[in-house]
Amino acid sequence: MNKLKLACIALFAACGSTSFAGGIITNTNQNIIFLRNPARDAAIGIDGVYSNPAGVAFLGNGFHLSINMQNVHQTRTVTTAYGELFKFNVNNPASADNGYARKFKGVADAPIVPSVQAAYVKDDWTFQFGFAITGGGGKCEFANGLGSFEGVVAGIPASLIAAGINNSLAPMGTQLTGGYSMDPFMRGRQYYYGFTLGSSYKINNNLSVYGGLRMLYGTANYYGYVKNISLQQSAGGQLSMVGAPTFFESLAASLNQAAGMYEAAGLHEEAAKARAQAAQMTGYAQMTQDIELNCDQTGWGVAPIIGVDFKTGRLNLAAKYEFKTRMRLKNKSANSLSAENISMLDKYADGKKVAEDSPALLTVGAQYELLPSLRVMAGYHHYFDVDTKQYTKDMLGDTNEYLFGAEFDINKYIQVSAGAQRTSYDFNDEAMNDISYNVSSWSYGLGVGVNVTEKVKINAAWFQTLYDDYDKLQANGTMNISNSFTRTNRVIGLGVDIKL
């Protein structure tokens, strides 16, 4: 029954982990120019308010503004098999053709993800502001639940049959067949709004430094339920579905009645055994009740950012360090009583504070001008995920990213660029499950910039992420449980840069 509680958490937590490009809960795609070419860590431009804030000091005097809109579509797919148990789903039986495995797919869409970067440059000083969705960024829906939950529900009749329950049910004229059904649903929404204020100073024509603060405001909502868990029974050759709580409550009543008869006959050992079985059935009845969760979470945190940029000839070098942002999200919940009675769902209890730190991030980059019209660039990102409250070294290591790209001016009006990013997570088997997972990936972006006038530039881009597959096989008694994890991610964007 503890496994059934854990499976409920899987359903309620899976929607809380979405990101676009970057570390576990960090979105680095905060400007359309990043989508065109993600290796922007040493580039000098208005997008540097996020990617290279020290380099913004080398922009010309005046006010610089970038307004961006992105459209993001993500999927999370886990292919799960619990031995052959899923073939007993009476509404959607798995087949032997795919090893009795089933795909569980979550879809996350963010129709509009806005971001703004602004900077005022006056001689050696710049004053900068940025706004973006720095974590989360969409709604995620699992219309058919998750494999970890279905596996536990499927295991209830299977384990009872293996324990010989049908021998006890025979005098009642009924038998469990192993069939089951359920009605799961989950919808989650998570946004981390980031507001950045900072200033850079140009020490000389080659060197600039930056200092700033970022405030994160996090908001999330989780709504979901697990209803109508039912078992298939056979009576008189007729198949029917019976609600699991009703079935177990009826069985508990029969066992308690039998216990009373045993006691009346002086068979105290048999009576104690029947009462223990009745208590077990009552536990199953409680655990298979409908569960509903409706939880809002809000919280905020502040962290400093520092950066440096160095120019020499055709080469530009830059680095930035974002300190860890301590985040504690407070719950405001209206959950069902059955959910409140499950201790492992305490994370969503009303009034509770939940750790959701944003990890520290170190970025370094280089850009080299091969020709006046052609630039190549590379970057490296290191996310200090282990240092966050919600993760431990037993679950994962730090995340690393490697970026490279190129930018070419076709003429004074049109610019094209393209780049790639390798994101390497360090999860182990213990941390990989359908509650929360990430898989390493390659991302590719390309796009175009058009100078409409000397003061207005339009950027358009396409960005695609191709994720690795992560396969996990574990033994559970005589049964093997297999999971294959993967994701998809596609982003398109349009933005405008303005100089005043």
Side-chain angles (χ1 to χ4, degrees):
M1 286 182 285
N2 287 334
K3 291 183 179 179
L4 184 59
K5 298 177 185 178
L6 181 61
C8 295
I9 298 174
L11 185 63
F12 298 141
C15 295
S17 178
T18 58
S19 63
F20 299 156
I24 292 174
I25 52 172
T26 305
N27 295 340
T28 54
N29 51 319
Q30 298 189 17
N31 192 287
I32 306 307
I33 297 179
F34 174 93
L35 302 182
R36 289 173 43 188
N37 167 22
R40 298 289 299 177
D41 301 295
I44 294 175
I46 184 58
D47 63 304
V49 169
Y50 173 73
S51 58
N52 180 19
V56 176
F58 293 107
L59 294 177
N61 279 350
F63 182 72
H64 302 258
L65 176 67
S66 182
I67 303 172
N68 305 270
M69 296 290 180
Q70 301 178 47
N71 175 275
V72 183
H73 174 76
Q74 291 186 333
T75 65
R76 299 166 57 88
T77 303
V78 184
T79 303
T80 303
Y82 272 65
E84 299 182 2
L85 290 184
F86 288 170
K87 71 180 181 181
F88 294 108
N89 186 320
V90 298
N91 295 325
N92 185 21
S95 70
D97 295 340
N98 59 355
Y100 300 105
R102 191 190 315 287
K103 286 187 176 181
F104 297 86
K105 185 175 182 179
V107 179
D109 284 306
I112 298 178
V113 180
S115 62
V116 176
Q117 290 88 37
Y120 177 72
V121 182
K122 179 62 175 177
D123 299 329
D124 294 333
W125 286 94
T126 70
F127 303 93
Q128 305 175 30
F129 168 79
F131 164 77
I133 308 296
T134 59
K139 297 179 180 179
C140 179
E141 181 175 308
F142 287 84
N144 297 311
L146 293 166
S148 58
F149 182 78
E150 182 166 346
V152 175
V153 173
I156 293 173
S159 61
L160 291 174
I161 292 171
I165 193 172
N166 280 338
N167 295 330
S168 301
L169 293 175
M172 305 178 191
T174 186
Q175 298 277 276
L176 288 181
T177 68
Y180 65 91
S181 65
M182 60 180 177
D183 183 15
F185 175 79
M186 182 62 200
R187 181 181 65 243
R189 167 187 54 79
Q190 185 185 62
Y191 290 94
Y192 276 44
Y193 300 99
F195 302 87
T196 305
L197 287 172
S199 178
S200 60
Y201 178 71
K202 185 165 59 177
I203 297 173
N204 54 47
N205 291 333
N206 302 99
L207 181 64
S208 63
V209 293
Y210 170 86
L213 291 174
R214 175 174 295 128
M215 187 196 82
L216 295 183
Y217 175 75
T219 175
N221 170 263
Y222 304 99
Y223 172 75
Y225 55 78
V226 180
K227 297 180 179 180
N228 303 323
I229 298 176
S230 299
L231 307 178
Q232 188 182 63
Q233 60 183 356
S234 175
Q238 299 295 317
L239 298 177
S240 63
M241 301 300 294
V242 58
T246 301
F247 174 83
F248 290 121
E249 287 168 358
S250 176
L251 192 55
S254 298
L255 288 166
N256 280 322
Q257 184 179 12
M261 296 173 63
Y262 284 134
E263 286 180 344
L267 302 173
H268 300 297
E269 183 175 344
E270 287 80 359
K273 182 177 179 181
R275 292 201 184 281
Q277 292 174 334
Q280 184 181 26
M281 294 304 105
T282 299
Y284 275 116
Q286 293 173 347
M287 290 303 102
T288 54
Q289 295 282 346
D290 291 352
I291 299 171
E292 184 173 2
L293 175 126
N294 191 357
C295 177
D296 291 306
Q297 297 180 329
T298 57
W300 63 279
V302 177
I305 304 170
I306 55 176
V308 61
D309 187 282
F310 178 73
K311 296 178 62 176
T312 176
R314 297 181 178 183
L315 178 66
N316 193 70
L317 304 172
K320 177 188 68 170
Y321 183 77
E322 301 179 16
F323 290 78
K324 180 181 75 174
T325 306
R326 182 185 184 277
M327 293 282 287
R328 297 295 180 267
L329 303 183
K330 186 175 182 179
N331 295 341
K332 183 177 181 181
S333 305
N335 303 329
S336 66
L337 182 61
S338 54
E340 294 177 358
N341 289 334
I342 298 177
S343 61
M344 295 179 73
L345 288 178
D346 283 348
K347 177 179 179 180
Y348 303 98
D350 187 49
K352 189 176 183 65
K353 291 186 177 181
V354 180
E356 289 290 348
D357 296 340
S358 183
L361 167 63
L362 172 67
T363 72
V364 294
Q367 175 177 287
Y368 187 75
E369 187 179 278
L370 294 174
L371 299 170
S373 60
L374 177 61
R375 294 161 295 281
V376 294
M377 51 275 286
Y380 168 72
H381 299 167
H382 183 87
Y383 298 86
F384 296 85
D385 298 319
V386 173
D387 294 334
T388 58
K389 180 70 173 180
Q390 64 269 33
Y391 297 107
T392 67
K393 292 181 179 179
D394 295 334
M395 298 173 62
L396 47 70
D398 292 339
T399 301
N400 295 289
E401 289 182 329
Y402 311 90
L403 310 94
F404 52 90
E407 190 174 65
F408 178 65
D409 301 326
I410 296 176
N411 53 45
K412 66 178 183 179
Y413 298 107
I414 301 175
Q415 179 187 81
V416 294
S417 58
Q421 170 180 293
R422 174 62 178 174
T423 300
S424 180
Y425 293 107
D426 189 18
F427 274 64
N428 55 44
D429 271 3
E430 292 184 3
M432 291 293 291
N433 53 66
D434 55 6
I435 299 174
S436 177
Y437 72 90
N438 280 278
V439 286
S440 299
S441 63
W442 280 98
S443 296
Y444 304 92
L446 58 88
V448 60
V450 178
N451 293 315
V452 180
T453 70
E454 291 184 356
K455 297 183 179 294
V456 178
K457 180 180 181 180
I458 302 296
N459 294 295
W462 167 87
F463 187 87
Q464 183 77 41
T465 301
L466 304 178
Y467 289 89
D468 298 348
D469 291 332
Y470 188 105
D471 297 323
K472 177 182 176 181
L473 181 66
Q474 64 187 105
N476 184 14
T478 59
M479 178 180 65
N480 286 330
I481 301 173
S482 64
N483 285 283
S484 180
F485 306 90
T486 192
R487 305 172 64 160
T488 67
N489 180 56
R490 185 273 303 149
V491 187
I492 56 175
L494 186 66
V496 58
D497 296 343
I498 302 171
K499 303 175 186 177
L500 297 176

